[in-house]
Amino acid sequence: MGKRSLALLLCLVLMLSLVACGPAEETAPKAEGIIRDSADVIVVGSGGAGMSAAVEVLRAGGSVIVVEKMPFVGGNTLLAASAFNAANPEEQRKQEMSPTMLTVIKDLIALEPVDEYMARWQDEIRADIEKYEAEGATYLYDSPALHKLQTYVGGDYVGNPKLIDVYGDKALESLQWLSELGVNWKEDITSAVGATWTRSHTPTDDWGSNGSSFVLPQKKFIEENGGKILLEHKAEELVVEDGKVVGVKGTTADGTPFELRGEKGVVLATGGFAANPEMREKYNKFWANAGPDVPTTNPSSSTGDGILMAEAVGANLVGMEWIQMVTFSDAAITAAIENSIQVNQAGERFVREDGRRDELCQAILEQEGGYCYRIYDAHTIVDLLDGISYKGVPIEDYVGNGAYMADTLEELAEQIGVPYDTLQKTVDEFNTYVEKGEDPFGRMLYDKKLEKGPYYAVKYRPHFHYTMGGVEINEKAQVLDKNGDIIPGLYAAGEVTGGVHGSNRLGGNATTDIIVFGRIAGQNIMK
Ligand code: ADP
């Protein structure tokens, strides 16, 4: 192992020790064989959504207990590539926008609106674009309205526009809130895979860029402000009294039952169900061959517990059939597709690389072997990312295990077993598209030409990644029952809920969702 690898490994170990808390028993009183405790609010789940809720409860002067079934905090959020989408016009203005991107905006505002929300967002963008063109501007345009419109259209109008409206309005504020908690960001605003716009903000830390950059500052805040985090406490049932949710019951890892009372109620933030094959099987209607053997990017904890607990007290579920697959590789690179291409075994491109994730997965599943190679050059891997994969591991350490590296394209082609002539032709053609800013697949995001060795190839396969559906909530993150009425005392936020992403979540939109609605849940439960 090289020196740099060792340093990064130490960083990873440090990161894991930071997300693990002290023994849970130290903080939870145990009596008569059952652990009982109480606080203003019980938060179930310590991913980005739960931690954000807990921070807001403490900020509002309340007391909070976070219950986490795993031996460490962070959940799926920890593994996120963690692009955070927010319209941040002041910063985005520093970057340029291609004429193709302007066409994309015009196409979006020319769509027939399906409701008053969409019409309003389109009107706002239309007015901005009139001014933009009158000025002869070329900077990267963005606005909350464009973020909302793309989220709604990208989710095939299945999402709830009321939630999307709040989501878009609170995105930048939540980014700033994270900055105040200590999150550092890379300067460049990019486009995460599947984001469809250049508005992805990437957190950065010594160990690279991943979701721990969100979770650790929140954990620190909670611990410094008197919040309790109980690890290895699995919540199993919501406690209801007189129609109001007043707490949770469950069992610790050593088999001790616990009952926690939340005077103001409970926030469910247990994440999605991408790691629960039975639930996937029950709800999936879209993917063929989506059996239990299909891999997931999620940790084993994403089993939909909160959805089942909420359902048991009458919650309505929405969008459960929408399960997202993404192309995934351990050697994945964070948030940089602008100068990479995707090729099949024949060395040919077959899809626009900046398209929707469902289209990307479907297209890859149709290629021989059901996988593809993403080809990068030194501009992305070395100049932008300093050779670090999204898990914080140097890309060289993945060489031979999902990643390939060679000084020339010819050597790279040989390594991945695709015909060099075709691959070279593909790259040459792509480089002409970079100049023109358009290609036959309809791709719109370009950066530099692929021409700077060393060259890299990373093998990608579709994996189950994100479950768009879940518990129905309103704009205050209150859980609704099957009649659309509020279930008193019950709030939910993050991937356990359905409604923002519709049928297809845009890349980089989930971290924004969990922070925005986690905060809203924490703020409202205290009101
Ligand atoms: P989100 O992105 O919505 O915040 P995450 O998947 O990041 O969701 O986090 C959800 C967290 O909830 C994970 O840490 C997971 O272990 C935890 N969790 C899931 N089910 C339970 C449960 N029954 N009891 C306690 N914690 C749970």
Coordinates of all heavy atoms in Angstrom, one line a residue, residues 158-205:
V158 N -45.2 13.0 -11.5 CA -45.8 12.1 -10.5 C -45.6 12.7 -9.1 O -46.3 12.5 -8.2 CB -45.1 10.7 -10.5 CG1 -45.6 9.8 -9.4 CG2 -45.4 10.0 -11.9
G159 N -44.6 13.6 -9.0 CA -44.3 14.2 -7.7 C -45.4 15.1 -7.2 O -46.3 15.5 -8.0
N160 N -45.3 15.5 -6.0 CA -46.3 16.4 -5.4 C -45.8 17.9 -5.5 O -44.8 18.3 -4.9 CB -46.5 16.0 -3.9 CG -47.5 17.0 -3.2 OD1 -47.8 18.0 -3.7 ND2 -47.9 16.5 -2.1
P161 N -46.4 18.7 -6.4 CA -45.9 20.0 -6.7 C -45.8 20.9 -5.4 O -45.0 21.8 -5.3 CB -46.8 20.6 -7.7 CG -48.0 19.8 -7.7 CD -47.6 18.4 -7.2
K162 N -46.7 20.6 -4.5 CA -46.7 21.4 -3.2 C -45.4 21.2 -2.5 O -44.8 22.1 -1.9 CB -47.9 21.0 -2.3 CG -49.2 21.5 -2.8 CD -50.2 21.1 -1.8 CE -51.6 21.3 -2.4 NZ -52.7 20.7 -1.6
L163 N -45.0 19.9 -2.4 CA -43.7 19.6 -1.7 C -42.5 20.1 -2.5 O -41.6 20.7 -2.0 CB -43.6 18.1 -1.5 CG -44.6 17.4 -0.6 CD1 -44.3 15.9 -0.5 CD2 -44.6 18.0 0.8
I164 N -42.6 20.0 -3.8 CA -41.5 20.5 -4.7 C -41.3 22.0 -4.6 O -40.2 22.5 -4.6 CB -41.8 20.0 -6.2 CG1 -41.8 18.5 -6.3 CG2 -40.7 20.7 -7.1 CD1 -42.2 18.0 -7.7
D165 N -42.4 22.7 -4.4 CA -42.4 24.1 -4.3 C -41.5 24.5 -3.0 O -40.6 25.4 -3.1 CB -43.8 24.7 -4.1 CG -43.9 26.1 -4.7 OD1 -43.2 26.4 -5.7 OD2 -44.7 26.9 -4.2
V166 N -41.8 23.8 -1.9 CA -41.1 24.1 -0.7 C -39.7 23.7 -0.8 O -38.7 24.4 -0.4 CB -41.8 23.3 0.5 CG1 -41.0 23.5 1.8 CG2 -43.2 23.7 0.7
Y167 N -39.5 22.5 -1.4 CA -38.2 22.0 -1.6 C -37.2 22.9 -2.4 O -36.1 23.2 -1.9 CB -38.4 20.7 -2.4 CG -37.1 20.1 -3.0 CD1 -36.3 19.3 -2.2 CD2 -36.8 20.2 -4.4 CE1 -35.1 18.7 -2.8 CE2 -35.7 19.7 -4.9 CZ -34.9 18.9 -4.1 OH -33.7 18.4 -4.7
G168 N -37.7 23.5 -3.5 CA -36.9 24.4 -4.3 C -36.6 25.7 -3.6 O -35.5 26.2 -3.6
D169 N -37.6 26.2 -2.8 CA -37.4 27.4 -2.1 C -36.4 27.3 -0.9 O -35.8 28.3 -0.6 CB -38.8 27.9 -1.5 CG -39.7 28.5 -2.5 OD1 -39.2 28.9 -3.6 OD2 -40.9 28.5 -2.3
K170 N -36.3 26.1 -0.4 CA -35.5 25.9 0.8 C -34.1 25.4 0.5 O -33.3 25.1 1.4 CB -36.2 25.0 1.9 CG -37.5 25.5 2.4 CD -37.3 26.4 3.6 CE -38.6 27.0 4.1 NZ -38.4 28.1 5.0
A171 N -33.8 25.1 -0.8 CA -32.6 24.4 -1.1 C -31.4 25.2 -0.7 O -30.5 24.7 0.0 CB -32.6 24.0 -2.6
L172 N -31.3 26.4 -1.2 CA -30.1 27.2 -1.0 C -30.0 27.6 0.5 O -28.9 27.5 1.1 CB -30.2 28.5 -1.8 CG -29.0 29.4 -1.7 CD1 -27.7 28.7 -2.1 CD2 -29.1 30.7 -2.6
E173 N -31.1 27.9 1.1 CA -31.0 28.1 2.6 C -30.5 26.9 3.3 O -29.7 27.1 4.3 CB -32.5 28.4 3.0 CG -32.6 28.7 4.5 CD -34.1 28.6 4.9 OE1 -34.9 29.3 4.4 OE2 -34.4 27.8 5.8
S174 N -30.8 25.7 2.9 CA -30.3 24.5 3.6 C -28.8 24.3 3.3 O -28.1 23.8 4.2 CB -31.1 23.3 3.2 OG -32.5 23.5 3.7
L175 N -28.4 24.7 2.1 CA -27.0 24.6 1.8 C -26.2 25.5 2.8 O -25.2 25.2 3.3 CB -26.7 25.0 0.4 CG -25.3 24.9 -0.1 CD1 -25.3 24.2 -1.5 CD2 -24.7 26.2 -0.3
Q176 N -26.7 26.7 2.9 CA -26.1 27.7 3.8 C -26.1 27.3 5.3 O -25.1 27.5 6.0 CB -26.7 29.1 3.6 CG -26.4 29.7 2.3 CD -27.4 30.8 1.8 OE1 -28.4 30.9 2.4 NE2 -27.0 31.5 0.7
W177 N -27.2 26.6 5.6 CA -27.3 26.1 7.0 C -26.3 25.0 7.2 O -25.7 25.0 8.3 CB -28.8 25.5 7.1 CG -29.2 24.9 8.4 CD1 -29.7 25.5 9.4 CD2 -29.2 23.5 8.7 NE1 -30.1 24.6 10.4 CE2 -29.8 23.3 10.0 CE3 -28.8 22.3 8.0 CZ2 -29.9 22.1 10.6 CZ3 -29.0 21.1 8.6 CH2 -29.5 21.0 9.9
L178 N -26.0 24.2 6.2 CA -25.0 23.2 6.4 C -23.6 23.8 6.5 O -22.8 23.4 7.3 CB -25.0 22.2 5.1 CG -26.1 21.2 5.1 CD1 -26.1 20.5 3.7 CD2 -25.9 20.1 6.2
S179 N -23.4 24.9 5.7 CA -22.1 25.6 5.8 C -21.9 26.1 7.2 O -20.8 26.0 7.8 CB -22.1 26.8 4.8 OG -22.4 26.3 3.5
E180 N -23.0 26.7 7.8 CA -22.9 27.2 9.2 C -22.5 26.1 10.2 O -21.8 26.3 11.1 CB -24.2 27.8 9.6 CG -24.4 29.2 9.1 CD -25.8 29.7 9.2 OE1 -26.5 29.3 10.2 OE2 -26.2 30.5 8.4
L181 N -23.0 24.9 9.9 CA -22.7 23.8 10.8 C -21.2 23.3 10.6 O -20.7 22.4 11.3 CB -23.6 22.6 10.5 CG -25.0 22.7 11.1 CD1 -25.8 21.5 10.7 CD2 -24.9 22.7 12.7
G182 N -20.6 23.8 9.5 CA -19.2 23.4 9.3 C -18.9 22.6 8.0 O -17.8 22.1 7.8
V183 N -19.9 22.5 7.1 CA -19.6 21.7 5.9 C -18.9 22.6 4.9 O -19.2 23.8 4.7 CB -21.0 21.3 5.2 CG1 -20.7 20.6 3.9 CG2 -21.8 20.4 6.2
N184 N -17.8 22.1 4.4 CA -17.0 22.8 3.3 C -17.4 22.3 2.0 O -17.7 21.1 1.8 CB -15.5 22.6 3.6 CG -15.1 23.1 4.9 OD1 -15.3 24.2 5.3 ND2 -14.5 22.2 5.7
W185 N -17.3 23.2 1.0 CA -17.8 22.8 -0.4 C -16.6 23.1 -1.4 O -15.9 24.0 -1.2 CB -19.0 23.7 -0.8 CG -20.1 23.6 0.1 CD1 -20.4 24.5 1.2 CD2 -21.1 22.6 0.2 NE1 -21.5 24.1 1.8 CE2 -22.0 23.0 1.2 CE3 -21.4 21.5 -0.6 CZ2 -23.1 22.2 1.6 CZ3 -22.6 20.7 -0.3 CH2 -23.4 21.1 0.8
K186 N -16.6 22.3 -2.4 CA -15.7 22.5 -3.5 C -16.2 23.8 -4.2 O -17.4 24.0 -4.3 CB -15.7 21.3 -4.5 CG -15.0 20.2 -3.9 CD -14.8 19.1 -5.0 CE -14.0 18.0 -4.5 NZ -14.0 16.8 -5.3
E187 N -15.3 24.5 -4.9 CA -15.7 25.7 -5.5 C -16.5 25.5 -6.7 O -17.5 26.2 -7.0 CB -14.4 26.5 -5.9 CG -14.6 28.0 -5.7 CD -13.2 28.7 -5.8 OE1 -12.5 28.7 -4.7 OE2 -12.9 29.1 -6.9
D188 N -16.1 24.5 -7.5 CA -16.8 24.3 -8.8 C -18.2 23.7 -8.6 O -18.4 22.7 -7.9 CB -15.9 23.2 -9.6 CG -15.7 23.7 -11.0 OD1 -15.7 24.9 -11.2 OD2 -15.5 22.8 -11.8
I189 N -19.2 24.3 -9.3 CA -20.5 23.7 -9.3 C -20.6 22.8 -10.5 O -20.3 23.3 -11.6 CB -21.6 24.8 -9.2 CG1 -21.4 25.6 -8.0 CG2 -23.0 24.2 -9.3 CD1 -22.3 26.8 -7.9
T190 N -21.0 21.5 -10.3 CA -21.0 20.6 -11.4 C -22.4 20.0 -11.6 O -23.3 20.4 -11.0 CB -19.9 19.5 -11.2 OG1 -20.2 18.8 -10.0 CG2 -18.5 20.0 -11.2
S191 N -22.4 18.9 -12.4 CA -23.7 18.2 -12.6 C -23.5 16.8 -12.2 O -22.8 16.0 -12.9 CB -24.0 18.3 -14.1 OG -25.2 17.7 -14.3
A192 N -24.1 16.3 -11.1 CA -24.1 14.9 -10.7 C -24.7 14.1 -11.8 O -25.5 14.6 -12.6 CB -24.8 14.7 -9.4
V193 N -24.3 12.8 -11.9 CA -24.9 11.9 -12.9 C -26.4 11.9 -12.7 O -26.9 11.8 -11.6 CB -24.4 10.5 -12.7 CG1 -25.1 9.5 -13.7 CG2 -22.9 10.4 -12.8
G194 N -27.2 12.2 -13.7 CA -28.6 12.2 -13.6 C -29.2 13.5 -13.1 O -30.4 13.6 -12.9
A195 N -28.3 14.5 -12.9 CA -28.8 15.8 -12.3 C -29.6 16.7 -13.4 O -30.4 17.4 -13.0 CB -27.7 16.6 -11.7
T196 N -29.2 16.5 -14.6 CA -29.7 17.3 -15.8 C -29.5 18.8 -15.7 O -30.0 19.5 -16.6 CB -31.2 17.0 -16.0 OG1 -32.0 17.6 -15.0 CG2 -31.5 15.5 -16.2
W197 N -28.8 19.3 -14.7 CA -28.4 20.7 -14.7 C -27.1 20.9 -13.8 O -26.9 20.1 -12.9 CB -29.5 21.6 -14.2 CG -29.4 23.0 -14.7 CD1 -29.0 24.1 -13.9 CD2 -29.6 23.5 -16.0 NE1 -29.0 25.2 -14.7 CE2 -29.3 24.9 -16.0 CE3 -30.0 22.9 -17.2 CZ2 -29.5 25.6 -17.2 CZ3 -30.1 23.6 -18.3 CH2 -29.9 25.0 -18.3
T198 N -26.4 21.9 -14.2 CA -25.2 22.2 -13.4 C -25.5 23.0 -12.2 O -25.4 24.2 -12.1 CB -24.2 22.9 -14.3 OG1 -24.0 22.2 -15.5 CG2 -22.8 23.1 -13.7
R199 N -26.0 22.3 -11.1 CA -26.3 22.9 -9.8 C -25.9 22.0 -8.6 O -26.4 22.2 -7.5 CB -27.8 23.3 -9.8 CG -28.8 22.1 -9.8 CD -30.2 22.6 -9.3 NE -30.8 23.4 -10.3 CZ -31.6 22.9 -11.3 NH1 -31.8 21.6 -11.5 NH2 -32.1 23.8 -12.2
S200 N -25.0 21.1 -8.9 CA -24.6 20.1 -7.8 C -23.4 20.7 -7.1 O -22.3 21.0 -7.7 CB -24.2 18.8 -8.4 OG -25.3 18.3 -9.2
H201 N -23.6 20.8 -5.7 CA -22.5 21.3 -4.9 C -21.9 20.1 -4.2 O -22.6 19.3 -3.6 CB -23.0 22.3 -3.8 CG -23.7 23.5 -4.4 ND1 -24.8 23.5 -5.2 CD2 -23.3 24.8 -4.4 CE1 -25.1 24.7 -5.6 NE2 -24.2 25.5 -5.1
T202 N -20.6 20.0 -4.2 CA -19.9 18.8 -3.6 C -19.2 19.2 -2.3 O -18.3 20.1 -2.3 CB -18.9 18.3 -4.6 OG1 -19.5 18.2 -5.9 CG2 -18.4 16.9 -4.2
P203 N -19.5 18.5 -1.2 CA -18.8 18.7 0.0 C -17.4 18.2 0.0 O -17.2 17.3 -0.8 CB -19.6 18.0 1.1 CG -20.2 16.9 0.3 CD -20.5 17.4 -1.1
T204 N -16.5 18.7 0.7 CA -15.1 18.2 0.6 C -14.5 18.1 2.0 O -14.8 18.9 2.9 CB -14.3 19.1 -0.3 OG1 -13.0 18.6 -0.3 CG2 -14.3 20.5 0.1
D205 N -13.8 17.0 2.2 CA -13.1 16.8 3.5 C -11.8 16.1 3.3 O -11.5 15.7 2.1 CB -14.0 15.9 4.4 CG -14.8 16.7 5.3 OD1 -14.3 17.4 6.1 OD2 -16.1 16.6 5.3

